[in-house]
Amino acid sequence: MRNFKKSVFIMVFMPFFAACSNAPPENTVEGLIEAQYEQTTKIVEDAKANAGNDKMAKAMSGMMETMMPKLERIENIDCDAIEGEDAYLCSADVTQTIAGNSQTNKTGFKVYLVNDKWVLGN
């Protein structure tokens, strides 16, 4: 009976402890990853726009555009505290298309809380 009481206690309070975690919410982490892909896409688009009439620059920009990864989906986000309460080591299954080939990789990255805003780290 004693083990049963412990099990019930753990099951009742586990969601409470998880909700009190200071880890970044999944949708925030997903947004940070999406923003990183958008930033990279913008750099390539800017390079293409700045190519002007230069055929070589246009060709290079076109090649870069086809080789840039396109984000498909982000799943299984998990973050664990590191280096204090404002830093987290996160992982996610990121599916992307590169040159027409889709692949999913487990990706690790750091997320920091800086001035009340979540940011991706190195």
Side-chain angles (χ1 to χ4, degrees):
M1 186 67 167
R2 186 175 184 178
N3 286 338
F4 177 74
K5 287 180 182 180
K6 284 183 183 179
S7 296
V8 169
F9 178 80
I10 290 171
M11 291 178 69
V12 168
F13 286 100
M14 186 65 81
F16 173 75
F17 293 129
C20 291
S21 171
N22 293 328
E26 282 189 21
N27 62 341
T28 298
V29 174
E30 189 171 337
L32 292 170
I33 295 169
E34 289 170 349
Q36 189 75 25
Y37 275 83
E38 289 169 8
Q39 181 181 9
T40 303
T41 300
K42 181 162 177 14
I43 290 169
V44 171
E45 289 172 354
D46 289 348
K48 191 174 179 180
N50 291 328
N53 292 328
D54 185 338
K55 289 182 182 182
M56 180 63 82
K58 282 184 178 182
M60 292 298 290
S61 297
M63 185 175 70
M64 282 177 40
E65 187 174 41
T66 60
M67 296 304 292
M68 290 305 299
K70 307 280 189 286
L71 181 63
E72 291 181 36
R73 68 183 169 276
I74 304 163
E75 300 173 306
N76 303 322
I77 297 170
D78 182 43
C79 296
D80 295 313
I82 57 166
E83 302 171 13
E85 63 187 60
D86 292 338
Y88 293 83
L89 181 59
C90 300
S91 65
D93 294 332
V94 178
T95 303
Q96 60 185 4
T97 301
I98 302 173
N101 297 316
S102 179
Q103 62 185 30
T104 301
N105 293 311
K106 173 81 69 193
T107 305
F109 47 92
K110 292 181 182 176
V111 177
Y112 298 94
L113 185 61
V114 178
N115 296 329
D116 294 326
K117 184 175 181 178
W118 292 104
V119 297
L120 280 179
N122 300 347

